[in-house]
Amino acid sequence: ALRAGGYAVDAREPDVDMIARLHRAASARRKPYRIALAGETVGGCRTGATASAREQSRQAQQSLLDIASRHGVLLWRRHTGLPLRLASLWLLLFACLGPVIETAAYFGIAAAGLSGCMPPLACAAFFAIAIGWGVLLSMSGLLLDAVSFRNARKLDEPGKLVMAAAAENLGYRQLHALWRTLGLFAWLRSKAPRRPQDRTAA
């Protein structure tokens, strides 16, 4: 951690940024290394507990974009290992661009169905597959949490978690993808070069 420079004070999510910089510093030495996960958060997003769900989604997306822009060199650096290269590619394609693709697909299929360009049955099949895939991902996350951390839960908690994982894909997941897409465009606008203001003679 010291060789990687410690926590970055200007990072939106310092814990994720720290992991990425640890990978950069360790892979540059071209020796085998291992980064262990403690499971306890020591840094995080600065939105605060009172931030709305929309604001949290927007800032989470911008945090991922910051990480991808800061450490995109891991994708093409020659001595980056294949697992780390694939993880960086996943971060860029799925975590950063995934919400945009998902939102565009929802709007595109809905527009095609309403305009008659696509049969209603095909539209229904698309949305059924999209919702089913989202439920599968949510269930996989629950299984990974149970296997990795073996958290002790009450007897009624697993059932509630499964119901919540299924219910969140019936509208909230789609809204979350839209919020993250708006966050991406806001991040791009913040990075766009600004035109210098015209100076008028006094």
Side-chain angles (χ1 to χ4, degrees):
L2 293 177
R3 292 183 179 180
Y7 274 92
V9 296
D10 58 340
R12 293 176 183 266
E13 289 200 15
D15 52 342
V16 182
D17 179 76
M18 182 76 259
I19 293 174
R21 286 192 290 115
L22 283 173
H23 277 295
R24 288 184 62 176
S27 62
R29 300 175 63 188
R30 305 186 185 185
K31 295 181 180 180
Y33 66 94
R34 178 175 177 267
I35 298 177
L37 176 64
E40 296 293 335
T41 302
V42 294
C45 187
R46 301 175 181 174
T47 54
T50 59
S52 64
R54 177 178 179 177
E55 182 67 13
Q56 289 178 355
S57 300
R58 184 183 69 84
Q59 294 222 7
Q61 181 66 18
Q62 293 179 350
S63 298
L64 289 174
L65 291 166
D66 279 342
I67 297 299
S69 62
R70 287 170 180 260
H71 307 289
V73 67
L74 291 172
L75 266 176
W76 56 79
R77 197 165 59 176
R78 185 175 58 182
H79 51 269
T80 299
L82 181 60
L84 184 55
R85 197 183 301 273
L86 291 177
S88 302
L89 185 62
W90 179 90
L91 175 66
L92 178 62
L93 295 182
F94 294 96
C96 294
L97 300 181
V100 180
I101 299 173
E102 183 178 356
T103 302
Y106 286 133
F107 280 104
I109 295 298
L114 294 175
S115 63
C117 297
M118 181 178 291
L121 185 60
C123 293
F126 169 82
F127 284 108
I129 293 174
I131 293 173
W133 180 253
V135 172
L136 179 62
L137 290 178
S138 298
M139 298 298 180
S140 301
L142 290 178
L143 180 61
L144 182 62
D145 175 76
V147 172
S148 301
F149 299 102
R150 302 183 183 275
N151 293 330
R153 304 186 187 278
K154 298 180 180 179
L155 294 178
D156 59 338
E157 286 187 352
K160 292 180 180 179
L161 289 173
V162 170
M163 292 178 61
E168 72 172 358
N169 292 278
L170 302 176
Y172 179 76
R173 179 184 178 89
Q174 292 75 19
L175 192 59
H176 180 69
L178 176 60
W179 289 337
R180 290 182 61 183
T181 300
L182 296 177
L184 183 145
F185 288 122
W187 183 84
L188 290 176
R189 287 196 301 269
S190 68
K191 298 299 180 181
R194 298 181 179 179
R195 296 181 179 179
Q197 296 181 353
D198 295 332
R199 298 180 179 179
T200 57

